[in-house]
Amino acid sequence: MKVFVTGASGYIGQAVVRALTEHGHTVTALARGDAAARIVTALGAEVIPGGLTDLDVLRGAAAGADGVIHLAQHQGPDVAEVDLAAATAMQDGAGDRPYVHTGGVWIYGETDGLADEDAPLSPPPVVAWRLDNERRVLARAAEGGRPVLVMPGVVWGGASGLIEAFFTGPARDDGEVRYIGDGSNRWALVHVDDIAELYVLALGAEAGTRYAGVGDETPTVLEIAHAVSAAAGHPGKVASVTLARAREQMGPIADAFALDQRFSSARARTELGWKPVPRDVLAELSGH
């Protein structure tokens, strides 16, 4: 397949391009600037210059591909409007060909034990905008489109991602890892290479389906903090902060990091044959 990818130069996007290539697909990639273009070119993808607000470019690129994977996210107060307009343009271009849209399990809020894709939705404000957009994207299945929603957990692995940006990186400078509350909550984690495989498999999924992309590992946030402290060069140096303090330091994403979530990925495993690699997440997060 020829697959058009947005966000290909990003953390998850680079892994997705590599996975697509390994599966024998060719990739065209949206690139907003020279730096992004260099990254996707090095990955072997064909560059399509433009950004998420260039709707004619998006529509044309989707029309010229056999499938679309939308990973990019606009930054700013108009994120919902830009995301929906971009998704609409790409779905218009894709027609009855696969369109894979990116969501996230944070939209479910706190889970009561082990949850799946049919659990009630209760998003923190930082991701509440996704609900209506995702409903509209998946509704295109009833009009002959082939939308599929992939919802990653907290993606980890490599030298980037949210854990690096909000915990490991700051700890290198501050001398300690700060976690929210008592650290007993759990994150739905997924390795970047595993979620990349799920995106590739989702190109062949049934229209209108949603998949939680999470691994089996569910350590507590306190355990994660201790592992990250070793990677940051300050082993054992961890400190609890209140949610209010975390909001001051991190912004509204703190509410998402404070969630206690456990998810099943049984649907992706059963329907798509997704097989996340067994990993020792704490050992890898600590750098061992």
Side-chain angles (χ1 to χ4, degrees):
M1 294 176 66
K2 180 181 179 182
V3 183
F4 173 54
V5 179
T6 72
S9 65
Y11 172 51
I12 300 175
Q14 292 183 50
V16 169
V17 173
R18 287 192 293 268
L20 286 165
T21 302
E22 289 169 3
H23 282 270
H25 303 302
T26 59
V27 179
T28 59
L30 188 72
R32 188 172 55 182
D34 292 341
R38 286 192 294 270
I39 291 171
V40 298
T41 298
L43 291 169
E46 176 189 344
V47 173
I48 296 182
L52 287 183
T53 56
D54 298 317
L55 302 185
D56 288 340
V57 172
L58 297 177
R59 190 178 299 108
D66 302 309
V68 177
I69 297 178
H70 178 32
L71 292 158
Q73 181 176 311
H74 177 73
Q75 301 299 317
D78 55 346
V79 57
E81 294 81 5
V82 171
D83 181 75
L84 181 59
T88 300
M90 286 184 282
Q91 287 187 280
D92 287 345
D96 61 358
R97 285 157 291 170
Y99 169 80
V100 182
H101 192 82
T102 297
V105 298
W106 281 344
I107 64 170
Y108 291 92
E110 299 269 346
T111 64
D112 184 10
L114 190 65
D116 62 17
E117 293 88 349
D118 298 322
L121 302 175
S122 182
V126 69
V127 293
W129 62 269
R130 289 189 179 278
L131 269 64
D132 187 59
N133 282 20
E134 291 168 6
R135 178 186 63 79
R136 291 170 181 252
V137 165
L138 293 178
R140 294 288 287 263
E143 303 170 14
R146 286 184 58 189
V148 174
L149 182 66
V150 171
M151 302 178 294
V154 177
V155 184
W156 67 280
S160 192
L162 294 178
I163 294 177
E164 169 65 28
F166 286 93
F167 295 90
T168 315
R172 292 191 185 97
D173 298 327
D174 300 338
E176 64 182 10
V177 176
R178 300 187 180 109
Y179 61 92
I180 302 169
D182 64 7
S184 64
N185 60 308
R186 298 174 186 269
W187 293 340
L189 296 168
V190 63
H191 193 276
V192 64
D193 292 337
D194 291 329
I195 197 65
E197 286 292 321
L198 181 54
Y199 274 102
V200 176
L201 292 170
L203 290 166
E206 181 179 346
T209 313
R210 59 177 69 214
Y211 294 101
V214 298
D216 293 326
E217 304 82 7
T218 57
T220 67
V221 169
L222 181 56
E223 291 172 325
I224 293 171
H226 275 283
V228 167
S229 71
H234 304 288
K237 299 295 185 179
V238 301
S240 171
V241 297
T242 65
L243 179 55
R245 179 62 174 160
R247 287 173 180 148
E248 292 175 3
Q249 296 173 340
M250 300 178 178
I253 199 173
D255 290 282
F257 284 128
L259 295 174
D260 182 24
Q261 292 192 317
R262 292 178 58 217
F263 268 91
S264 166
S265 60
R267 179 177 294 175
R269 295 169 190 256
T270 300
E271 296 182 3
L272 301 181
W274 185 48
K275 297 177 181 178
V277 176
R279 304 176 190 275
D280 186 337
V281 58
L282 294 179
E284 291 195 39
L285 284 175
S286 69
H288 296 134

